[in-house]
Amino acid sequence: MANADHPFLHLAAPQIAGLTPYIPGKPVSELERELGIRDAVKLASNENPLGCGEAARAAYLAAAAELARYPDGGAFALRGAIAEHHGVDAAQVTVGNGSNDVLDLVARTFLGPGLDSVFSEHAFAVYPIATQAVGATARVAPARDYGHDLDAMAALVSARTRVVWIANPNNPTGTWVAAEPLRAFIAALPAHVIAVVDEAYFEYVEAPDYPDAGAWLADCPNLIVTRTFAKVHGLAALRVGYGLSHPAVAELLNRVRAPFNVNAPAQAAAVAALGDAEHVARSVAHNRTERARLAAGLAELGLDVIPSVCNFVTVDLGRPVGFVDQALLRRGVICRPVANYGLPNHLRISVGLAHENDRLLAALAAVLAEPAA
Ligand SMILES: *Cc1c(COP(=O)(O)O)cnc(C)c1O
């Protein structure tokens, strides 16, 4: 519904009236219904094509025995497992209904009218939404080579800034920031600014100077690091993620957190997933091979691919992607246009199973060969 003719717009809080909603990937079931097909391929939401590990699935199924009970509101076992995994204290862990929830908690805790958050052009779409939803102002720094320009971001920090969001690596560009410049950037921030380093794709990154920002927590009291179980752990459906921070920051985040924000099957599956290093390794290995093959296939079609360390690649079609995206959908392949990220000519393609990536490459080759393309 267009904002202008929305019947309740005048009732919404002013910061909500101007908000553009997040656009999720089209569900496979919906496209299959529309086309009357059964083999649609979804490469639109950066999910793990291998699914979750066996241990996580078993823990999830076992949790079905206790569905009448509220979950542990303090997520004792999960926070303990996360703390052990990172070598931090459980008091430093804030659990979320997806890491998206933690990002929202940060905005609700530290931002509000008259205050700013700073992030990069082409950065993850949740930062502007979380900022604007609480009436704060987004300051967007121009990107450099599609990635974060930390100097440009630092230049936007003012007395009104409370949060700086850094997606490392970034979605939808697949770019990343190296340890040394990121650490220097965080260290140079004024004491009234919280740095959020969003590491949703951490496990996939194999660049040698890519940092584990959680290791800096002892020296950086203003740092919050977020992680998710939705990507490499293959638990996107369960919505579970977390933040790591100074315990006093976690205590503030927990004041606004809904008491049962992470459900019981999600807590159980996440604990099991954290202990399943084999599944993570298998998923990363699959991604390494298939991402390279996908990127090479796209380059063979004459397309520029932004070098990615993630489980997706973003490709430049050289013109607005609407026609190509629609033509791919008609062939049963769902990708993600990223015009809402300021990239109208780019299409983001998640790394799928080998046959799914082949389907995409063949469909795209056919579409690009069509006269109207
Ligand atoms: C997918 C993603 C998230 C994680 O979202 P969840 O709410 O944990 O599913 C966070 N940040 C970025 C950059 C992402 O791409």
Side-chain angles (χ1 to χ4, degrees):
M1 189 175 307
N3 260 356
D5 49 64
H6 194 302
F8 291 101
L9 195 62
H10 64 291
L11 295 185
Q15 71 272 18
I16 305 303
L19 206 55
T20 311
Y22 180 84
I23 309 167
K26 192 184 192 99
V28 165
S29 56
E30 192 180 318
L31 185 67
E32 291 184 340
R33 205 160 47 236
E34 278 173 25
L35 296 177
I37 62 171
R38 282 173 175 212
D39 62 346
V41 166
K42 185 183 178 196
L43 301 175
S45 300
N46 304 340
E47 295 143 342
N48 185 340
L50 303 184
C52 70
E54 268 316 310
R57 188 191 320 279
Y60 170 79
L61 292 173
E66 295 287 343
L67 294 186
R69 304 277 177 205
Y70 275 97
D72 172 3
F76 181 81
L78 177 55
R79 286 169 63 226
I82 292 166
E84 194 184 317
H85 183 78
H86 288 280
V88 301
D89 198 275
Q92 297 180 258
V93 180
T94 306
V95 293
N97 189 254
S99 56
N100 195 146
D101 188 26
V102 179
L103 303 176
D104 260 330
L105 296 179
V106 171
R108 288 164 61 204
T109 303
F110 295 104
L111 294 173
L115 300 173
D116 291 356
S117 84
V118 170
F119 53 89
S120 173
E121 181 187 19
H122 313 317
F124 187 44
V126 165
Y127 312 149
I129 295 174
T131 299
Q132 208 180 326
V134 297
T137 302
R139 303 277 175 218
V140 186
R144 190 198 298 163
D145 297 329
Y146 296 109
H148 290 24
D149 180 340
L150 295 177
D151 294 331
M153 291 174 70
L156 291 182
V157 172
S158 74
R160 288 183 304 275
T161 307
R162 291 293 175 276
V163 176
V164 173
W165 312 98
I166 302 127
N168 201 32
N170 186 44
N171 168 19
T173 56
T175 53
W176 57 285
V177 182
E180 212 180 295
L182 182 57
R183 176 114 199 217
F185 170 82
I186 293 169
L189 287 171
H192 64 269
V193 177
I194 297 283
V196 178
V197 178
D198 176 350
E199 295 183 338
Y201 301 93
F202 178 87
E203 297 83 354
Y204 286 114
V205 186
E206 300 186 287
D209 49 352
Y210 171 71
D212 172 358
W216 304 338
L217 282 166
D219 303 326
C220 303
N222 292 22
L223 173 64
I224 302 175
V225 179
T226 61
R227 295 279 187 99
T228 182
F229 289 94
K231 303 288 159 55
V232 83
H233 293 295
L235 295 172
L238 292 184
R239 314 302 305 122
V240 51
Y242 57 95
L244 305 173
S245 66
H246 189 283
V249 170
E251 196 276 330
L252 286 174
L253 297 175
N254 272 298
R255 291 186 192 188
V256 289
R257 186 177 66 85
F260 303 110
N261 64 334
V262 180
N263 70 71
Q267 290 186 30
V271 169
L274 260 192
D276 193 349
E278 256 176 53
H279 184 66
V280 171
R282 194 161 44 240
S283 302
V284 170
H286 168 84
N287 189 63
R288 184 189 307 128
T289 309
E290 283 300 307
R291 184 183 61 210
R293 215 170 59 77
L294 186 56
L298 293 165
E300 249 173 65
L301 295 175
L303 302 170
D304 278 336
V305 179
I306 305 174
S308 168
V309 293
C310 298
N311 64 341
F312 57 84
V313 293
T314 295
V315 60
D316 186 358
L317 297 181
R319 71 211 117 139
V321 301
F323 174 86
V324 172
D325 180 48
Q326 290 300 315
L328 288 174
L329 287 174
R330 284 195 297 277
R331 286 171 166 77
V333 180
I334 312 173
C335 297
R336 179 72 71 95
V338 285
N340 56 321
Y341 288 91
L343 295 167
N345 293 355
H346 285 78
L347 197 62
R348 192 190 71 197
I349 304 164
S350 305
V351 176
L353 297 173
H355 75 88
E356 297 174 323
N357 300 330
D358 288 340
R359 224 355 235 286
L360 173 276
L361 288 170
L364 189 56
V367 170
L368 294 176
E370 280 177 19

